[in-house]
Amino acid sequence: MNPEQRRILTSIGVTLRDFPESIELAYTAPKLTMTLTQYAAGFSNPINMQDTRACFEAWCLIIKAKTEEQKKEPKLEIVLDVKDIKEADYDGKLPKNGHWGRFLYRILKFSEQYKYWFELSSTLGKIKDKFQNYLDSHTFVTSAPDKKPKEDIANSNLESYVEYLFCDSISAQKDILNLHSVNTIDRQLPVSLFEGSKSSTTGVFTGGKSAIDFWALNGDTINVYELKSDNPMVGIITEIFFYSNYVHDVFISKSLDHGKGSVEIEDGTYRSYDKIKGNKGKQVKGIMLSNSNRKGWHSSLDKPTRNKVKEIMNENDMSEAIQYEFLGYQLNPLKIGGYYISK
């Protein structure tokens, strides 16, 4: 964080231990303008959306929450821009890469759902409108998994290991996840999207390993989980926002823009894909799940801030079709190696 960023944030009652220097800030009451680099937007030399330099949703919500906590600038409005971007940089067709496609979808959904305090710059707003018109005038398909999730947990990274524990342990599902009547829980749900037909040249979003950590059908609700294990990141908010909107639009609405931009869900049975395809859900619950001990939550996401962020996220103009929650768990080492999880 540079001195000017610190000065601006302090002036509106926000104290952060760190903030990416690449995100420019400018403030004229009551509006805070946040300007991303082009690579943070996925337009040029893209980086992942959960990166601290790219996760604008997370920083917007954290800053908004902290100003409301401190009551110094409770009516703060936030404007998002991208440095040196021009309307002509997007032609209104298939995005040139999946990171750019994700960004366009994210700014469309975030500006629509939090319009009372968040807006896009004039140029970014016009680009968003082009993308919305693109969605409305095309049809899309998903990609079903073609194999089971990795089951060799002994050689998995920590988060894959913990992800397996949550999906395998009924007691963890009841005691930590508060799931008491779940009929399906599974791992690694793909979040790819293609224009017209599935191919290497028609991807709207990133494909490959892009997937939701795990998910559950819980009555008429689809629970979507973004898991962190000893990996404190503010980007957990951006990930759950994107994944929750994707699941709502693809598996409940079956359209990307309120009945327009229809989505055909590919057939498949691996990772219970047929179960989520055939679900009768009415709501998505996006759950940010991190261990509370050891490294735990990011320093910008202390408990009061998490509570306020949750409150703001759930006031999302979606008539409760998408709701969010933070959940914690304990990550405990075993003497023989490995870990176990507890409440």
Side-chain angles (χ1 to χ4, degrees), residues 267-327:
D267 290 330
T269 57
Y270 285 114
R271 308 183 208 171
S272 305
Y273 202 71
D274 55 327
K275 302 291 196 308
I276 195 168
K277 177 180 179 178
N279 85 92
K280 303 298 182 184
K282 298 177 181 178
Q283 181 191 59
V284 175
K285 192 167 189 179
I287 299 168
M288 294 158 277
L289 183 62
S290 175
N291 56 305
S292 299
N293 61 339
R294 297 160 60 93
K295 293 183 181 178
W297 297 99
H298 190 276
S299 60
S300 298
L301 286 170
D302 55 38
K303 189 169 183 178
T305 302
R306 294 199 304 273
N307 289 340
K308 195 64 183 178
V309 166
K310 171 187 170 181
E311 178 185 323
I312 296 170
M313 290 186 82
N314 287 339
E315 295 172 348
N316 58 13
D317 211 27
M318 284 288 288
S319 300
E320 298 188 355
I322 303 177
Q323 293 286 276
Y324 300 94
E325 185 176 357
F326 290 92
L327 279 181

Side-chain angles (χ1 to χ4, degrees), residues 156-325:
S156 298
N157 63 40
L158 179 58
E159 283 179 1
S160 295
Y161 177 88
V162 175
E163 174 190 304
Y164 174 86
L165 295 180
F166 273 111
C167 293
D168 188 59
S169 169
I170 293 175
S171 62
Q173 292 165 24
K174 289 183 177 179
D175 297 341
I176 302 172
L177 303 181
N178 301 316
L179 294 174
H180 300 282
S181 59
V182 64
N183 52 35
T184 303
I185 186 167
D186 219 321
R187 304 160 54 206
Q188 294 298 301
L189 178 69
V191 287
S192 53
L193 189 74
F194 300 87
E195 178 193 315
S197 61
K198 186 171 67 172
S199 77
S200 60
T201 60
T202 56
V204 181
F205 301 151
T206 56
K209 295 182 179 180
S210 298
I212 292 166
D213 290 331
F214 67 101
W215 57 277
L217 298 182
N218 186 28
D220 63 359
T221 299
I222 305 174
N223 285 6
V224 174
Y225 298 89
E226 177 55 32
L227 173 70
K228 300 301 177 192
S229 301
D230 277 359
N231 183 22
M233 295 179 65
V234 296
I236 191 174
I237 296 174
T238 285
E239 290 177 287
I240 204 64
F241 176 78
F242 174 78
Y243 296 149
S244 298
N245 275 275
Y246 176 95
V247 168
H248 174 271
D249 287 355
V250 169
F251 295 108
I252 294 180
S253 174
K254 296 180 175 58
S255 66
L256 298 171
D257 185 30
H258 307 286
K260 299 178 182 178
S262 64
V263 180
E264 179 181 333
I265 305 169
E266 188 179 38
D267 290 330
T269 57
Y270 285 114
R271 308 183 208 171
S272 305
Y273 202 71
D274 55 327
K275 302 291 196 308
I276 195 168
K277 177 180 179 178
N279 85 92
K280 303 298 182 184
K282 298 177 181 178
Q283 181 191 59
V284 175
K285 192 167 189 179
I287 299 168
M288 294 158 277
L289 183 62
S290 175
N291 56 305
S292 299
N293 61 339
R294 297 160 60 93
K295 293 183 181 178
W297 297 99
H298 190 276
S299 60
S300 298
L301 286 170
D302 55 38
K303 189 169 183 178
T305 302
R306 294 199 304 273
N307 289 340
K308 195 64 183 178
V309 166
K310 171 187 170 181
E311 178 185 323
I312 296 170
M313 290 186 82
N314 287 339
E315 295 172 348
N316 58 13
D317 211 27
M318 284 288 288
S319 300
E320 298 188 355
I322 303 177
Q323 293 286 276
Y324 300 94
E325 185 176 357

Side-chain angles (χ1 to χ4, degrees), residues 22-61:
S22 62
I23 300 179
E24 295 180 6
L25 296 178
Y27 178 64
T28 303
K31 292 189 176 184
L32 175 71
T33 300
M34 186 180 295
T35 303
L36 304 179
T37 60
Q38 291 191 11
Y39 61 79
F43 183 77
S44 174
N45 299 319
I47 57 177
N48 288 327
M49 64 181 180
Q50 67 267 32
D51 190 290
T52 55
R53 299 164 294 174
C55 59
F56 73 85
E57 302 95 329
W59 291 120
C60 287
L61 285 159

